[in-house]
Amino acid sequence: MFAVSASQAVYAGSALPKVLIIGDSISEGYTPHVVALLRGEAEVSRIPENGETSAYGLEHMDDWLGSTRWDVISFNFGQWDFCYHNPALPESNDRDKVHGSIAISLDQYKANLEKIVERLQKTHAHLVWENTTFVPEGESGRNVEDAIRYNQAAQKIMQQHGVAVVDLYDLTKGFEPGLFKRPHNVHYSDEGYQKIAVAVAQGIRQSLPASVHRSP
């Protein structure tokens, strides 16, 4: 029986390869489409919350990994890291790249990613990094240049560790306005998430083990 919830999808009693998706709300948007694209090829689950910053991910990684033996782990951190917040504004709407402070500095981001990759490699899963999606001009809490700088830093770390990379930045940079949820926003319409999911699913598919033997 195939079941899908907002946070994860589970094949009951499945012997298919197990895939974990780690990420922020953007991954929440594309996960259901990845599930559909990999149906019959993999059992796809997602962490049960917003992955937020790399610091938050590092803190919660053991809980997210649990005791499951994952075959592929798809992961991303970035949008929350280079978001600027102004403590003088209400917490629910405190994004402010003019007067605010960046959540996670580039140096700390790199240090966090190093530790995250090292932790994930201990699972012996195949790792797939999705680089951070495009930041539209006019986004209130993020700069386009930061997305590029943080992606470049992450790219070097993934290359050093031999981690596969799916380029979601160039993909989403070419999106038409209608594929975004609304103007000047980093989220996407359902059609936009479908297009992102194709790239994510392909990256996961290329990392799936040729054969997986599991006890029933």
Side-chain angles (χ1 to χ4, degrees):
M1 179 67 180
F2 180 67
V4 181
S5 69
S7 61
Q8 67 177 189
V10 177
Y11 288 83
S14 172
L16 293 171
K18 294 184 180 295
V19 175
L20 177 65
I21 294 177
I22 298 172
D24 56 26
S25 58
I26 293 174
S27 71
E28 288 179 329
Y30 63 65
T31 292
H33 300 297
V34 174
V35 169
L37 289 166
L38 294 179
R39 185 172 297 162
E41 299 178 64
E43 174 187 331
V44 180
S45 302
R46 187 192 171 279
I47 59 172
E49 61 180 313
N50 192 314
E52 299 189 11
T53 67
S54 58
Y56 186 85
L58 189 59
E59 179 182 356
H60 292 82
M61 193 59 64
D62 286 346
D63 290 337
W64 292 343
L65 294 173
S67 59
T68 300
R69 183 174 69 79
W70 302 104
D71 295 292
V72 179
I73 299 174
S74 165
F75 67 113
N76 165 265
F77 297 94
Q79 292 283 4
W80 278 65
D81 291 85
F82 56 75
C83 188
Y84 291 76
H85 300 275
N86 185 345
L89 298 175
E91 186 175 352
S92 60
N93 190 25
D94 66 348
R95 288 179 301 147
D96 181 357
K97 64 185 179 185
V98 177
H99 303 291
S101 299
I102 200 164
I104 304 291
S105 71
L106 182 58
D107 285 343
Q108 190 59 55
Y109 178 71
K110 292 189 288 186
N112 291 342
L113 281 191
E114 286 280 1
K115 293 177 182 178
I116 287 170
V117 171
E118 289 171 4
R119 174 64 185 92
L120 293 180
Q121 287 181 324
K122 291 179 180 179
T123 68
H124 302 292
H126 294 275
L127 305 183
V128 182
W129 168 257
E130 276 77 36
N131 70 2
T132 300
T133 50
F134 178 66
V135 173
E137 291 286 354
E139 213 281 346
S140 61
R142 300 173 176 93
N143 292 311
V144 177
E145 297 78 10
D146 286 331
I148 295 171
R149 292 192 305 122
Y150 280 57
N151 272 338
Q152 288 174 341
Q155 178 79 19
K156 291 180 180 179
I157 291 170
M158 300 310 154
Q159 287 177 340
Q160 291 168 357
H161 289 275
V163 176
V165 176
V166 176
D167 186 2
L168 297 185
Y169 183 86
D170 278 353
L171 172 67
T172 52
K173 183 180 180 181
F175 275 9
E176 298 176 357
L179 295 178
F180 289 86
K181 186 175 182 179
R182 54 182 177 270
H184 317 301
N185 191 276
V186 296
H187 296 92
Y188 299 90
S189 66
D190 190 59
E191 184 181 358
Y193 283 126
Q194 289 181 43
K195 290 182 179 295
I196 295 172
V198 171
V200 174
Q202 183 60 20
I204 293 172
R205 185 178 286 118
Q206 291 174 349
S207 296
L208 290 174
S211 61
V212 178
H213 302 285
R214 299 188 184 280
S215 300

